[in-house]
Amino acid sequence: MSALAPPVGGPARIQAAFDRARAEDRAALIIYLTACYPDADTSRACIEAAVEAGADVVEIGVPFSDPMMDGPVIQAANQHVLDAGYRVADHLALVRSLDHLDVPTLVMTYVTIADTRGYARFADELADAGSAGVILPDLPVPEADAWLAEARRRDLATVFLASSVSSDDRLDAIAAASTGWVYATGLLGVTGVKGVATDETRRLVERVRARTELPVAVGIGVKDRASAAEVASYADGVIVGSSVVRAAGEGDPAGAPDRVAALVRELRAGVAER
Amino acid sequence: MSATPQPTVPARADDREGYFGRFGGQYVPEALSGALAQLTTAWRDARADPAFAGELDALLRDYGGRPTPLYHARRLSERTGVEVWCKREDLAHTGSHKLNNVVGQALLARRMGKPRVIAETGAGQHGVATATAAALFGLDCTVYMGAEDVRRQRLNVVRMQLLGTEVVPVDSGTRTLKDAINEAMRDWVTNVDDTHYLIGSAMGPHPFPTIVRELQKVISVEARQQFAAQAGGQPDAVIACVGGGSNAIGSFADWIDVEGVRLIGVEAAGEGVGTGRSAATLTEGREAVLHGSRSVVLVDDDGQVQPAHSVSAGLDYPGVGPEHAWLASTGRGEYVSATDEEALEGFLHTCELEGIIPALEPAHAVGWLLHHGAAVLGEGARVVVTMSGRGDKDVDEVIEVAGWDLGVARAFDRAAGEGPA
Ligand SMILES: Cc1ncc(COP(=O)(O)O)c(C=O)c1O
């Protein structure tokens, strides 16, 4: 393990971030940004700005050529970064360069990226870069044993997604296998298109809560202060992606950190409204 | 190509459900777990219900035109040096093998009470077949098709529209089949309550590869009987082109357990293996997860899926169904490739020697036979080649790519220029 290794493991750092938010009587704010979008330096500055503006946890999206769960905004960001020639190694370097932040960062990507690298190597690289864990939306629990063994070895969190259409059996498995938090998807669909389906999502959060002490955060469909406040009224965490990515990518890169910070401040106010 | 002409039949008893050896599985977003479980149950129930098989068989016979003939292609045999028997899927309704799968899955959609189907299509043949079944069963239908494929398979776009289907051109990524699949998956994740994703090849998450194989198995079940009756005994090899792998797995299925019959899949090598412009997945790819299953995929060291290249829109796919990855890994299946040029040669020879205008996809199998058949299989070897579809859809593309414009297109241009604006 390198000298940069964090003092505690991923799940514990994530739990601490949720605990801090809870102590302030608000939901935790989790911000997703695509790595190296629109470029490596701007991306780093945007993530730092998001943390400065109140993000409790950051998800760093490692682009994949075929992002099955993503809508047009994140798809386009992925493609932009791939076209610019950034490699997974560059994204890992970005993660490492953010190791000084006192919020946990997780990597969100597709299983193909982790699997091609080899789960053991990917876990080592993430842990050595100071990442707290992963979200792999196309790695459901029944396929995850091999990855989970490596994640446990390096004390990385693995956040699994739960859906309103998950059976009770599957929710049992998701609750049991997750570390860090459980990701309740706010709608049936891809990122950045529709709004949260409130009734179904509330019920999903309750069903997950009945199965685990882990925090339950809702993502996909949250885009602004009002929807963040709404979700914060029943979930432990609120995850916002596409609208932040849009703020990072549209317009002059020099202004991106300010645009991201302005949006994150709004969202942070939202999660405190409850 | 392995040197042993008689690969032995591998054991498969210890496979995990949904796996072929180490390939397969269900690598999908949680939102699809319910739909896949429902499909698995519906399929199991349908298989146990004689009425399902009865209805399927009757539709394939009375509506689909089955059984398709097995035809001894004498002039092509003379040219290739092997005895060529063509399994004529090009004569099935809609012009390809795709209908076999589509009718079965449309019946499943009806059993599951789903009023809407979606599909991806490359060459447009699966899209046309799905649009056809949707019309037949009164289902809503949306087909995703890469914008590049919309251009090169225009005839099939018009056919789908005539059949009442909405065709959505996909502009993301490489604008071909893989991106159409991504978009169909996104639609399915969003509309999973009322929609069945009618996957068109032997790929995707479990149970699709198994369902598609079983529905396409009719190709080899018929061919086996026909060959025994018409030629006697069994062939030395069965040969089919491989895109996602549905016509090939259907052509192989009934022979997999039969020793002495070589199973040869022909992939598209585009501009050539090693040029970086190919779709020869099993030759050039590595183990990876794509579109819901673990198989062999054209990916780079980072896991990014590489664009495939082929003159044939139906083979222009950087993945392959997991059962083929398994057959390749055990040596039971042998996977070779044919370049664009060899496929065009196969196309032309099939036209001129047999009076059959083949689709560009099976033209790859013919192209391989022309170049390697006698050398690999032995002079006079008896082979069944699956003629998976007819080539009407490819005529424009062939004219453009091969420059075989006989003057017709130019005459049209002239007429258009001279006519009123
Ligand atoms: C005529 C024909 N053959 C073959 C294919 C390739 O698909 P598969 O490998 O699933 O048979 C296609 C696909 O569009 C096709 O239209």
Side-chain angles (χ1 to χ4, degrees):
Chain A
M1 203 174 290
S2 82
L4 292 174
V8 288
R13 282 186 289 148
I14 292 167
Q15 186 62 51
F18 277 93
D19 287 346
R20 270 198 303 276
R22 188 171 296 165
E24 295 173 12
D25 194 28
R26 61 177 177 82
L29 177 60
I30 301 160
I31 295 293
Y32 169 96
L33 278 159
T34 300
C36 297
Y37 180 68
D39 60 71
D41 290 340
T42 306
S43 167
R44 184 179 313 105
C46 285
I47 292 168
E48 287 167 346
V51 171
E52 182 81 7
D56 297 296
V57 176
V58 179
E59 294 177 9
I60 299 177
V62 169
F64 175 50
S65 53
D66 296 81
M68 204 207 280
M69 275 284 284
D70 287 303
V73 173
I74 295 176
Q75 274 178 53
N78 274 339
Q79 196 60 50
H80 175 96
V81 173
L82 291 169
D83 290 346
Y86 288 106
R87 305 291 307 263
V88 172
D90 299 312
H91 306 311
L92 291 166
L94 174 72
V95 171
R96 173 173 319 206
S97 76
L98 294 163
D99 197 28
H100 64 280
L101 296 177
D102 60 5
V103 308
T105 64
L106 288 86
V107 162
M108 176 146 186
T109 190
Y110 287 81
V111 65
T112 308
I113 300 287
D115 178 60
T116 304
R117 219 160 181 77
Y119 290 152
R121 175 179 167 202
F122 194 55
D124 282 336
E125 289 179 331
L126 287 175
D128 291 345
S131 173
V134 297
I135 306 170
L136 300 168
D138 57 346
L139 183 68
V141 176
E143 303 288 357
D145 286 352
W147 162 255
L148 285 170
E150 299 300 336
R152 266 193 301 274
R153 181 176 61 79
R154 294 307 309 263
D155 208 3
L156 292 164
T158 304
V159 174
F160 285 99
L161 276 65
S163 164
S164 60
V165 296
S166 300
S167 65
D168 286 343
D169 285 352
R170 288 194 69 110
L171 283 191
D172 288 345
I174 289 163
S178 290
T179 42
W181 77 83
V182 176
Y183 191 134
T185 50
L187 52 83
L188 287 177
V190 296
T191 57
V193 179
K194 298 191 297 186
V196 172
T198 301
D199 293 347
E200 288 87 342
T201 307
R202 266 179 188 278
R203 211 169 308 129
L204 172 61
V205 170
E206 280 165 25
R207 291 173 69 210
V208 176
R209 280 237 177 86
R211 294 171 158 81
T212 177
E213 303 278 288
L214 285 175
V216 185
V218 171
I220 307 185
V222 188
K223 45 175 167 282
D224 53 18
R225 175 172 176 160
S227 49
E230 157 92 58
V231 168
S233 71
Y234 59 86
D236 304 307
V238 178
I239 306 166
V240 188
S242 293
S243 60
V244 194
V245 172
R246 192 183 291 117
E250 74 184 9
D252 171 22
D258 287 345
R259 292 193 300 272
V260 167
L263 175 58
V264 172
R265 273 193 296 274
E266 281 281 296
L267 296 167
R268 173 63 185 258
V271 300
E273 274 167 30
R274 308 199 101 156
Chain B
M1 171 84 16
S2 84
T4 40
Q6 298 202 349
T8 50
V9 178
R12 57 200 306 178
D14 56 348
D15 287 357
R16 265 174 73 189
E17 194 198 341
Y19 272 82
F20 308 94
R22 53 185 291 104
F23 302 104
Q26 280 185 341
Y27 294 84
V28 293
E30 181 62 22
L32 297 181
S33 62
L36 293 176
Q38 181 189 23
L39 180 61
T40 304
T41 305
W43 172 244
R44 200 182 46 226
D45 293 351
R47 301 269 285 168
D49 177 2
F52 176 81
E55 188 171 8
L56 179 60
D57 289 350
L59 278 166
L60 289 180
R61 182 186 65 231
D62 303 335
Y63 183 73
R66 301 209 73 87
T68 58
L70 182 72
Y71 162 71
H72 183 191
R74 287 186 176 77
R75 298 189 66 205
L76 209 47
S77 300
E78 221 166 88
R79 183 63 61 98
T80 56
V82 296
E83 189 178 313
V84 178
W85 292 78
C86 290
K87 180 60 177 161
R88 300 289 308 275
E89 294 301 296
D90 59 311
L91 293 176
H93 181 42
T94 73
S96 82
H97 70 291
K98 297 288 183 184
L99 194 75
N100 303 331
N101 169 43
V102 161
V103 170
Q105 284 200 49
L107 288 172
L108 284 176
R110 203 180 62 188
R111 285 178 85 96
M112 293 186 291
K114 300 213 167 168
R116 177 173 181 261
V117 291
I118 57 173
E120 83 294 343
T121 197
Q125 288 300 115
H126 176 59
V128 167
T130 305
T132 298
L136 181 66
F137 289 100
L139 303 168
D140 279 343
C141 181
T142 301
V143 171
Y144 292 93
M145 187 168 188
E148 167 64 10
D149 294 337
V150 167
R151 181 194 67 73
R152 54 182 171 171
Q153 307 277 227
R154 204 176 56 91
L155 172 67
N156 278 342
V157 176
V158 176
R159 292 170 78 197
M160 286 184 266
Q161 289 171 336
L162 287 171
L163 292 161
T165 278
E166 184 195 4
V167 180
V168 180
V170 176
D171 251 317
S172 57
T174 56
R175 309 164 86 233
T176 58
L177 182 54
K178 104 180 155 68
D179 308 284
I181 296 169
N182 292 337
E183 212 50 41
M185 286 280 187
R186 292 181 188 116
D187 181 317
W188 202 27
V189 168
T190 307
N191 301 298
V192 65
D193 288 340
D194 72 345
T195 298
H196 174 60
Y197 179 12
L198 212 161
I199 287 187
S201 194
M203 39 141 309
H206 173 71
F208 282 108
T210 298
I211 291 178
V212 175
R213 177 198 64 219
E214 289 302 307
L215 292 171
Q216 292 292 1
K217 190 175 180 176
V218 64
I219 300 172
S220 50
V221 169
E222 287 176 6
R224 193 169 165 179
Q225 291 168 4
Q226 290 166 324
F227 193 89
Q230 296 172 234
Q234 64 191 36
D236 298 302
V238 175
I239 302 180
C241 65
V242 181
S246 70
N247 90 87
I249 204 70
S251 302
F252 295 171
D254 207 40
W255 305 104
I256 289 177
D257 297 337
V258 180
E259 305 243 353
V261 179
R262 293 173 72 167
L263 307 177
I264 297 178
V266 183
E267 296 189 305
E271 295 176 13
V273 168
T275 63
R277 292 181 60 80
S278 126
T281 308
L282 286 163
T283 304
E284 300 197 77
R286 54 189 275 189
E287 183 177 329
V289 174
L290 180 64
H291 294 143
S293 57
R294 177 180 296 280
S295 185
V296 172
V297 186
L298 297 176
V299 288
D300 69 10
D301 289 346
D302 272 357
Q304 308 295 355
V305 180
Q306 299 301 292
H309 289 279
S310 170
V311 66
S312 142
L315 305 183
D316 199 351
Y317 179 58
V320 66
E323 192 164 4
H324 287 294
W326 174 74
L327 287 170
S329 73
T330 62
R332 178 65 186 98
E334 301 167 74
Y335 294 85
V336 298
S337 63
T339 61
D340 286 351
E341 211 168 306
E342 289 164 343
L344 289 167
E345 232 177 288
F347 180 90
L348 200 57
H349 279 81
T350 310
C351 291
E352 292 183 351
L353 296 176
E354 296 295 345
I356 296 169
I357 300 178
L360 278 173
E361 290 81 16
H364 283 73
V366 178
W368 182 81
L369 272 181
L370 284 166
H371 284 267
H372 309 286
V376 172
L377 303 170
E379 201 73 35
R382 303 193 302 169
V383 303
V384 171
V385 181
T386 299
M387 197 54 67
S388 56
R390 69 177 188 227
D392 313 40
K393 67 184 178 62
D394 291 315
V395 167
D396 285 341
E397 186 67 5
V398 165
I399 288 171
E400 185 172 323
V401 173
W404 292 334
D405 184 351
L406 309 175
V408 182
R410 258 176 287 126
F412 272 126
D413 287 347
R414 241 191 343 268
E418 283 163 7

